[in-house]
Amino acid sequence: MNASIAGPEIERLIQLLSKLPGLGPRSARRAVLHLLKKREALMGPLAEALADAAEKISTCSTCGNVDVTDPCAICAAPRRDPASICVVETVGDLWALERANAFRGRYHVLGGTLSALDGVRPEDLNMAGLFERASAPEVTEIVLALNATVDGQTTAHYLADRLAGIDVQITSLARGVPVGGELDYLDDGTLAAAFRSRRPT
Amino acid sequence: MNASIAGPEIERLIQLLSKLPGLGPRSARRAVLHLLKKREALMGPLAEALADAAEKISTCSTCGNVDVTDPCAICAAPRRDPASICVVETVGDLWALERANAFRGRYHVLGGTLSALDGVRPEDLNMAGLFERASAPEVTEIVLALNATVDGQTTAHYLADRLAGIDVQITSLARGVPVGGELDYLDDGTLAAAFRSRRPT
Ligand SMILES: [Zn+2]
Ligand SMILES: [Zn+2]
């Protein structure tokens, strides 16, 4: 885009918005035009909400979730079952399971999967904390809710091996999850059903 | 989306982002997850860029463009031809013509089109200033660069009628613009060619 079309403030906004997933340069321009039309109703509030979130939100040092408190609301909730920890790849997967009301225990967010191709090793993921948590006396089940992708399943097998020495039951989601499917794209019903019929690994 | 999944700060962010064109609730969630991953590199800078733009950018009181100065950079540029004014529906159309390097004069942004269906009347658009500008002695041409839609062409005819009493040549874009086509979606080459072969209305 020709740098002289709009001022540098607008150009910078277009450039930053076009870095969001699903927004290319053209849709970023449309988004900026929309924001410019709704300066008071949308642009200002969005600026504040972003600044607020950027300032307040941090990663939970227990589970890897994001929240304004550490530990996060899920880790801190007394009514959530401390006996069961559900391991997910990303916060998006955690949100998907929460939307499906699939699980009443706590989570552990790895922050990705092992990947030979991308050079992701166990120490690059949020795993050490999981082995510690799994060893706590109140924990009786670890649900491996990883994506049904090659890397997701490789990571699940790795975790099952590492957790084998600990006195917990390891389960994984039922094969309701389609092969190659990503949790965040599943409808809530499928996800809840797969969760209910989870089985020992 | 279940309100308890993420904190109110995140929920608000998802809600505001889902108001942008092209982003539904699901893509807004993905965008927020991406922003949360890039808090320092993207979320903070985007918050600042939005606040900056919301604070500094205003509508040009001469032409209706948006910029950090009033008059806008285009109206103020001494090297732009003061003899020719190009009338467009939206700032997005102005940007599209600038990207195509189609025009070296100045603009007038109507802010929409006349529409019987939506009840948009001449006084609802930025028209009064146009008639004033068209009457200035240095102005010799008004280019009606409206979309080739029913409402765009109705508006063009209305403007041609109203401008008929003023000593300026009224031109419109050549029929390179496909029927029903919107300027902002055209490739730069087509747009530039249509502009070059503009003809008297
Ligand atoms: Zn937590
Ligand atoms: Zn202007």
Side-chain angles (χ1 to χ4, degrees):
Chain A
M1 182 174 186
N2 185 328
S4 69
I5 291 164
E9 289 81 3
I10 292 177
E11 290 300 331
R12 177 150 174 73
L13 206 46
I14 294 171
Q15 187 221 324
L16 287 168
L17 278 173
S18 66
K19 289 182 182 169
L20 292 180
L23 285 181
R26 169 158 288 175
S27 45
R29 281 200 302 269
R30 300 227 139 214
V32 168
L33 285 166
H34 186 77
L35 286 164
L36 287 169
K37 255 190 233 162
K38 313 238 171 202
R39 275 199 287 275
E40 301 203 353
L42 186 54
M43 195 180 219
L46 182 57
E48 275 171 43
L50 281 165
D52 199 42
E55 190 200 319
K56 290 189 190 163
I57 289 168
S58 64
T59 302
C60 175
S61 56
T62 301
C63 76
N65 187 16
V66 287
D67 205 341
V68 292
T69 55
D70 183 9
C72 72
I74 292 176
C75 283
R79 294 181 58 190
R80 301 209 53 138
D81 182 4
S84 186
I85 296 173
C86 176
V87 181
V88 292
E89 293 175 19
T90 67
V91 173
D93 295 334
L94 184 161
W95 288 359
L97 287 164
E98 286 294 290
R99 280 200 303 278
N101 264 314
F103 178 61
R104 299 306 302 161
R106 291 179 181 148
Y107 291 94
H108 196 88
V109 182
L110 294 176
T113 55
L114 297 175
S115 167
L117 208 63
D118 299 330
V120 182
R121 299 155 305 171
E123 57 266 38
D124 300 321
L125 299 173
N126 178 29
M127 280 190 178
L130 173 63
F131 302 133
E132 229 176 86
R133 293 177 75 194
S135 306
E138 71 269 24
V139 176
T140 58
E141 180 188 16
I142 304 283
V143 185
L144 299 176
L146 302 181
N147 287 328
T149 55
V150 171
D151 284 342
Q153 293 310 301
T154 301
T155 308
H157 288 137
Y158 176 86
L159 288 174
D161 276 354
R162 289 289 310 270
L163 292 163
I166 301 173
D167 185 23
V168 285
Q169 186 174 34
I170 317 289
T171 59
S172 55
L173 299 190
R175 266 273 174 258
V177 179
V179 175
E182 300 196 335
L183 296 193
D184 196 22
Y185 281 106
L186 287 185
D187 68 285
D188 296 352
T190 307
L191 198 50
F195 209 96
R196 278 193 305 274
S197 54
R198 64 189 185 271
R199 53 175 176 62
T201 298
Chain B
M1 184 176 184
N2 186 330
S4 68
I5 290 164
E9 289 81 3
I10 293 177
E11 291 300 329
R12 177 148 175 75
L13 205 47
I14 293 171
Q15 188 221 325
L16 287 167
L17 278 173
S18 66
K19 290 182 182 170
L20 293 180
L23 284 181
R26 168 160 287 176
S27 45
R29 280 200 303 268
R30 298 226 143 216
V32 168
L33 285 166
H34 187 76
L35 286 164
L36 287 168
K37 253 190 232 162
K38 313 237 171 203
R39 276 199 287 275
E40 302 204 350
L42 186 54
M43 194 180 222
L46 182 56
E48 276 171 41
L50 282 164
D52 200 42
E55 191 200 318
K56 290 189 190 163
I57 288 167
S58 63
T59 302
C60 175
S61 56
T62 302
C63 76
N65 188 15
V66 287
D67 205 343
V68 291
T69 55
D70 181 11
C72 72
I74 291 176
C75 283
R79 297 182 56 191
R80 301 210 52 139
D81 182 3
S84 186
I85 295 175
C86 177
V87 180
V88 292
E89 294 176 19
T90 66
V91 173
D93 295 335
L94 184 161
W95 288 0
L97 287 164
E98 287 293 290
R99 280 199 302 277
N101 264 313
F103 178 60
R104 299 306 301 160
R106 289 175 183 152
Y107 291 93
H108 197 88
V109 182
L110 294 176
T113 55
L114 298 174
S115 167
L117 207 65
D118 299 330
V120 183
R121 299 155 307 170
E123 57 268 37
D124 299 321
L125 298 173
N126 179 29
M127 280 190 177
L130 174 63
F131 303 133
E132 230 177 86
R133 294 177 75 193
S135 307
E138 72 269 24
V139 175
T140 58
E141 180 187 17
I142 304 284
V143 186
L144 300 176
L146 302 180
N147 288 328
T149 56
V150 172
D151 284 342
Q153 292 309 299
T154 302
T155 308
H157 288 135
Y158 175 87
L159 287 174
D161 278 355
R162 289 288 311 269
L163 292 162
I166 302 173
D167 185 24
V168 285
Q169 186 173 37
I170 317 288
T171 58
S172 56
L173 298 191
R175 267 276 174 254
V177 180
V179 174
E182 300 195 335
L183 297 193
D184 195 22
Y185 281 105
L186 287 184
D187 68 284
D188 296 352
T190 307
L191 198 51
F195 208 98
R196 278 193 306 274
S197 53
R198 65 189 185 272
R199 52 175 176 65
T201 298

